[in-house]
Structure formats: C-alpha cells, structure tokens
Amino acid sequence: MPGIIWGKPPCMKRHRREMSPQSSFCWQHVPIRIFLTNECRLPCMWLRAPVVLPEPPAGVRLVAVSEPQHVRDMAQVHAQAYALLGMPEKEVHKLFAHPERVLASPLIACVAYRGDEPVASALAIRTGEAAGVYWVGTAPSAHRLGLATLCTGWV
C-alpha cells in the first residue's frame, strides 16, 4: 500500500513504559499490565500522511462512538461479524456489556450506519503517539461494500 512503511517508527525512543492497571484498557477491570517497548523484534506500521477516506456509499454514515447506544450498536455489529469466525455472540455482548466503561476508556471508535441499521464498526486504542486497531467488523448484510476499510481508516 502506498504511504505505509513497515519497520520501527522514527519518532519512538528507546524506552520501556509501563501503564498502570488503572490506565490500561480493560472493560472488565481485570488487573492487566501492558508493557510497551520498541525493542521488540515485531515490525511496526506507520503512515507518512493522514489517511484519505473515500466517500461512504449512498445511505451510509459514520458516527463517532460517544454515547451508550453507539456502544450497543457496535456490540451488535461485532456479535454478527465475529460469529462468522466462531466467536459466540454472547461473549461479544459480555465484552461490551458496560457502555460506560467503554466510553471512559482510551479508545477511538466509529459505527457505520446504513439508514438506522448499524452495519460496520472499528475501534482503536491510543497510547501516546501510537494506536492499535481492534474489533473491525461488518454485519453480514453489508459485506463487500468497503465499510470495514472505511471504519478502519476513520479510527
């Protein structure tokens, strides 16, 4: 893909930072510690320029996740999408069962709606200058429209 570079981002410094359990991303308040280091051997990806998003298809709009109903809509999309991969829908709904926790966490998320129906979603967790993209999914009724790509680019 043009504009994407694989390797270590030039802006990262050699250091190890530990995030406390209170600031780490955890919907269930499990005491998880996340260690970030650029000394790992895994490749990173970064962009040279901002992502240019295409126009959504006719009748589709992207909405920033900013209220409890958006979280419920996001859960609905992911329950359908991840069921196709064998994940039980009830497990997805458990993860998103407390919208207030999701909204209070360090994430950026969006939901794509076709009319009033939530059909795709993605979220990213921000930690300083970096972000990880997670939970990208499309409802089966909206496959092959580029909505997962659109949501991923948005976050």
Side-chain angles (χ1 to χ4, degrees), residues 14 44 47 49 96 109 116 126:
R14 284 196 163 296
C44 297
L47 303 173
F96 293 95
D116 291 332
R126 263 202 148 135

Side-chain angles (χ1 to χ4, degrees), residues 93-140:
H93 286 291
K94 279 184 193 178
L95 291 170
F96 293 95
H98 300 281
E100 68 282 357
R101 291 181 190 171
V102 176
L103 293 170
S105 62
L107 67 80
I108 304 162
C110 73
V111 178
Y113 292 89
R114 184 169 48 195
D116 291 332
E117 177 190 9
V119 291
S121 182
L123 68 83
I125 302 168
R126 263 202 148 135
T127 55
E129 295 178 10
V133 178
Y134 302 90
W135 288 99
V136 177
T138 305

